[in-house]
């Protein structure tokens, strides 16, 4: 049962609503509606404008940092230069540049004007260069202090002189090759030397045209005929080996079968080596042809095929 009210007493008023909330409710139901783009536009503009200000600040700081870094590098470079000046090694380089300036400038002019097709003159000039440069504490450091010093031509002269000197040594070794018994040891020794020289010359042949152009561009007309001489001398030594093998073979006519077999194997080894030399040299002389034919006849005499090594 509902409680009784006192007659003549009005009911309590409803709770009051804040004015702002009331206005909002009134607007939401009026012409104005919640925008579907305002939030996104706000975020976009905020990002663009505040982001730009952020980039400007970062850019400003970066410039300052770069400026500081450049200054640091300059300071470090100055510090290193000062250390270099105080270094005994670089002080000696400075002294070398001053004390030998006249000689180095004369050498510079001599190198620039040097031209030759005479290999003896090439070797002599290279030795003259080395006599001047060997007294320097550090050749590269000292020569770098002389503007436009012909370093490339200097190195080319060295390379050409070294190539000819090495080739000339091979010529000398072959001319003075000692031929003595036993033939087996002689073949071993000559085979090893021939193989080494052949590999080096084959390697050079692959770059010969390039090297020749380089030499000529620096005034050096290199005498490549020395390689022809080497090949001719290889054939000579090979012929000497065949002669000794044939001589020892003739001295074993009365030997037993085992000794004859061993010596026949030696004949075959000598022939194979002679053939390798022939292939390398690109030909034989009359003496080499005669000895090779005689050697082959002895190997094939009394057998249908050459013995195995």
């Amino acid at each position: 049962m509902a409680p009784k009210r006192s007659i003549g007493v009005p009911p309590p008023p409803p709770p009051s609503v804040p004015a702002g909330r009331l206005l909002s409710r009134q607007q939401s139901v009026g012409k104005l509606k919640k925008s579907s783009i305002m939030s996104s536009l706000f975020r976009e503009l905020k990002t663009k404008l505040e982001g730009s200000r952020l980039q400007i600040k970062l850019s400003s700081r970066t410039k300052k940092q770069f400026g500081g870094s450049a200054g640091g590098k300059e300071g470090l470079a100055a510090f290193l230069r000062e250390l270099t000046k105080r270094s005994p090694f670089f002080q000696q380089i400075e002294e070398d540049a001053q004390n030998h300036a006249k000689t180095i400038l004369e050498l510079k002019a001599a190198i620039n004007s040097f031209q030759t097709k005479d290999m003896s003159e090439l070797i002599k000039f290279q030795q003259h260069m080395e006599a001047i440069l060997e007294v320097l504490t550090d050749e590269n450091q000292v020569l770098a202090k002389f503007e436009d010093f012909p370093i490339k031509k200097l190195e080319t002269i060295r390379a050409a002189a070294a190539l000819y000197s090495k080739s000339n040594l091979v010529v000398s070794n072959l001319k003075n090759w000692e031929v003595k018994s036993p033939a087996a040891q002689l073949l071993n020794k000559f085979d090893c030397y021939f193989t080494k020289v052949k590999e080096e010359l084959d390697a050079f042949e692959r770059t010969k045209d390039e090297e020749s152009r380089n030499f000529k561009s620096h005034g050096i007309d290199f005498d490549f005929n020395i390689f022809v001489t080497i090949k001719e001398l290889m054939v000579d030594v090979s012929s000497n080996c065949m002669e000794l093998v044939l001589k020892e073979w003739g001295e074993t006519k009365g030997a037993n079968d085992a000794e004859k077999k061993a010596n026949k194997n030696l004949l075959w080894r000598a022939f194979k080596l002679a053939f390798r030399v022939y292939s390398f040299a690109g030909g034989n002389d009359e003496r080499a042809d005669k000895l090779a034919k005689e050697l082959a006849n002895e190997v094939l005499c009394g057998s249908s095929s050459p013995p195995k090594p």
Side-chain angles (χ1 to χ4, degrees), residues 178-225:
E178 187 177 12
V179 180
K180 64 178 182 179
S181 296
Q185 290 185 8
L186 176 65
L187 287 176
N188 288 337
K189 183 179 179 181
F190 179 60
D191 192 348
C192 290
Y193 190 72
F194 166 72
T195 300
K196 177 185 175 183
V197 172
K198 179 181 181 299
E199 288 177 353
E200 292 176 351
L201 286 184
D202 285 347
F204 179 76
E205 285 290 341
R206 291 191 286 271
T207 61
K208 179 181 175 181
D209 292 341
E210 181 181 349
E211 292 291 349
S212 179
R213 287 192 296 269
N214 182 45
F215 291 158
K216 286 183 178 179
S217 69
H218 290 97
I220 302 170
D221 189 3
F222 193 87
D223 183 10
F224 290 102
N225 286 327

Side-chain angles (χ1 to χ4, degrees), residues 162-283:
L163 177 61
Y164 193 83
S165 295
K166 187 174 183 179
S167 301
N168 202 39
L169 179 61
V170 174
V171 169
S172 178
N173 289 339
L174 292 173
K175 283 182 176 179
N176 297 297
W177 198 273
E178 187 177 12
V179 180
K180 64 178 182 179
S181 296
Q185 290 185 8
L186 176 65
L187 287 176
N188 288 337
K189 183 179 179 181
F190 179 60
D191 192 348
C192 290
Y193 190 72
F194 166 72
T195 300
K196 177 185 175 183
V197 172
K198 179 181 181 299
E199 288 177 353
E200 292 176 351
L201 286 184
D202 285 347
F204 179 76
E205 285 290 341
R206 291 191 286 271
T207 61
K208 179 181 175 181
D209 292 341
E210 181 181 349
E211 292 291 349
S212 179
R213 287 192 296 269
N214 182 45
F215 291 158
K216 286 183 178 179
S217 69
H218 290 97
I220 302 170
D221 189 3
F222 193 87
D223 183 10
F224 290 102
N225 286 327
I226 193 167
F227 299 129
V228 177
T229 302
I230 289 174
K231 292 178 178 181
E232 292 172 349
L233 289 171
M234 284 289 186
V235 172
D236 284 345
V237 177
S238 173
S239 296
N240 292 340
C241 291
M242 286 190 286
E243 277 188 340
L244 182 61
V245 170
L246 286 168
K247 178 184 176 184
E248 290 188 359
W249 169 253
E251 293 172 352
T252 61
K253 292 295 184 180
N256 57 44
D257 291 342
E259 290 177 341
K260 284 184 177 180
K261 183 178 180 181
N263 281 282
K264 186 165 285 191
N265 284 334
L266 197 62
L267 290 172
W268 176 228
R269 281 185 58 200
F271 185 86
K272 287 193 296 182
L273 178 56
F275 183 77
R276 288 175 59 210
V277 172
Y278 159 77
S279 300
F280 164 73

Side-chain angles (χ1 to χ4, degrees), residues 23-73:
L23 179 62
S24 176
R25 286 180 180 177
Q26 290 174 347
Q27 288 176 343
S28 65
V29 296
K31 295 180 180 180
L32 302 178
K33 296 180 180 180
K34 185 176 180 180
S35 173
S36 61
I37 62 172
M38 284 300 295
S39 296
S40 60
L41 286 175
F42 173 78
R43 288 193 298 269
E44 183 178 350
L45 290 172
K46 183 175 186 297
T47 300
K48 183 175 182 179
L49 296 177
E50 293 188 3
S52 296
R53 288 197 296 272
L54 182 61
Q55 289 175 359
I56 292 170
K57 291 178 181 179
L58 287 174
S59 176
S60 178
R61 286 200 299 269
T62 303
K63 288 180 180 179
K64 290 180 180 178
Q65 289 173 355
F66 286 166
S69 177
K73 287 182 179 179

